[in-house]
Amino acid sequence: DQQVKQNSPSLSVQEGRISILNCDYTNSMFDYFLWYKKYPAEGPTFLISISSIKDKNEDGRFTVFLNKSAKHLSLHIVPSQPGDSAVYFCAHNAGNMLTFGGGTRLMVKP
Amino acid sequence: DTEVTQTPKHLVMGMTNKKSLKCEQHMGHRAMYWYKQKAKKPPELMFVYSYEKLSINESVPSRFSPECPNSSLLNLHLHALQPEDSALYLCASNGPGTYEQYFGPGTRLTVT
């Protein structure tokens, strides 16, 4: 079984600076990790994914880095904007079943 | 278009009521999902439908009954719920060979 952990429940960043959100996993065997952003009372919105054969994937202001030896991935948001304030979930996809981490609440201050 | 729609947006029901949640997508996705999210917790998978057939039931109590009438629609029938079933119920879908699931806005359910 894959366990996904986001050890920082919250993160506060100044507008324009970099936001780094972290995620750890337990099982070396995986296909894909995905990052979702969620506003209150809305469904999660897909941001970016990374496969096990890559160590980096970039899409605009969002970059995900994968460190397989450390079983760790991180989402970088540069530059951070106030509209990025939300809860961010890391999720593992195995056989179309998503297992989510506990989430990190990002607050971007103007 | 990556839209998944859910109705109703809010639902309040008594423990003896029968109600249904509806989910619809027109992206041609053949996998659809129900998730449950409690406050300050991550979404938890309940059911998976693949090509209109139930493929995964994550040990969900029988008071929750899913139904997939066709490839675009997914229902969740509710009966004799408990107050602890109050949560945000999310529907999602994804296409064959893709890993990202697209979520609807959710139905906020309150059981009184």
Side-chain angles (χ1 to χ4, degrees):
Chain A
D1 269 9
Q2 182 70 271
Q3 290 189 34
V4 180
K5 295 183 180 180
Q6 295 175 255
N7 292 317
S8 299
S10 65
L11 174 68
S12 183
V13 170
Q14 204 67 35
E15 180 179 7
R17 306 295 290 267
I18 184 171
S19 296
I20 300 176
L21 299 139
N22 295 303
C23 180
D24 296 303
Y25 60 94
T26 56
N27 192 331
S28 300
M29 301 296 293
F30 72 92
D31 291 327
Y32 268 80
F33 274 98
L34 304 95
W35 283 94
Y36 284 85
K37 169 182 176 180
K38 189 177 184 301
Y39 294 117
E42 292 186 12
T45 301
F46 170 71
L47 286 174
I48 192 169
S49 63
I50 190 163
S51 76
S52 57
I53 61 172
K54 292 189 173 184
D55 54 17
K56 176 183 174 182
N57 190 25
E58 189 172 355
D59 184 0
R61 296 185 300 116
F62 302 93
T63 303
V64 56
F65 294 92
L66 174 64
N67 182 334
K68 288 189 280 288
S69 62
K71 297 181 186 175
H72 177 84
L73 61 158
S74 60
L75 175 68
H76 293 212
I77 307 174
V78 182
S80 300
Q81 300 171 353
D84 295 330
S85 297
V87 177
Y88 288 78
F89 289 100
C90 170
H92 168 249
N93 188 317
N96 269 342
M97 292 176 60
L98 287 184
T99 302
F100 287 86
T104 297
R105 179 174 302 279
L106 174 65
M107 293 163 283
V108 181
K109 298 178 181 178
Chain B
D1 181 12
T2 55
E3 188 177 27
V4 176
T5 59
Q6 289 186 245
T7 55
K9 191 170 178 63
H10 300 278
L11 178 62
V12 180
M13 60 185 291
M15 290 188 284
T16 58
N17 291 160
K18 284 185 181 180
K19 296 286 184 183
S20 297
L21 309 184
K22 295 184 184 298
C23 173
E24 191 167 1
Q25 57 86 15
H26 294 288
M27 296 176 279
H29 291 174
R30 302 309 295 271
M32 297 185 75
Y33 310 81
W34 281 113
Y35 288 84
K36 173 182 177 179
Q37 186 179 22
K38 301 280 281 184
K40 300 190 178 183
K41 295 287 186 183
E44 292 182 351
L45 182 66
M46 300 174 72
F47 301 105
V48 180
Y49 270 84
S50 180
Y51 291 87
E52 295 100 69
K53 292 186 178 178
L54 182 64
S55 60
I56 294 173
N57 175 339
E58 289 288 279
S59 303
V60 180
S62 59
R63 57 186 184 269
F64 295 91
S65 175
E67 178 197 19
C68 190
N70 60 56
S71 59
S72 300
L73 294 173
L74 186 65
N75 298 322
L76 186 62
H77 302 297
L78 314 172
H79 174 55
L81 295 194
Q82 304 296 310
E84 58 265 28
D85 296 322
S86 299
L88 181 68
Y89 288 84
L90 295 160
C91 174
S93 71
N94 72 295
T98 64
Y99 286 88
E100 58 270 20
Q101 293 181 15
Y102 293 94
F103 284 81
T107 293
R108 173 69 60 189
L109 174 67
T110 303
V111 182
T112 61

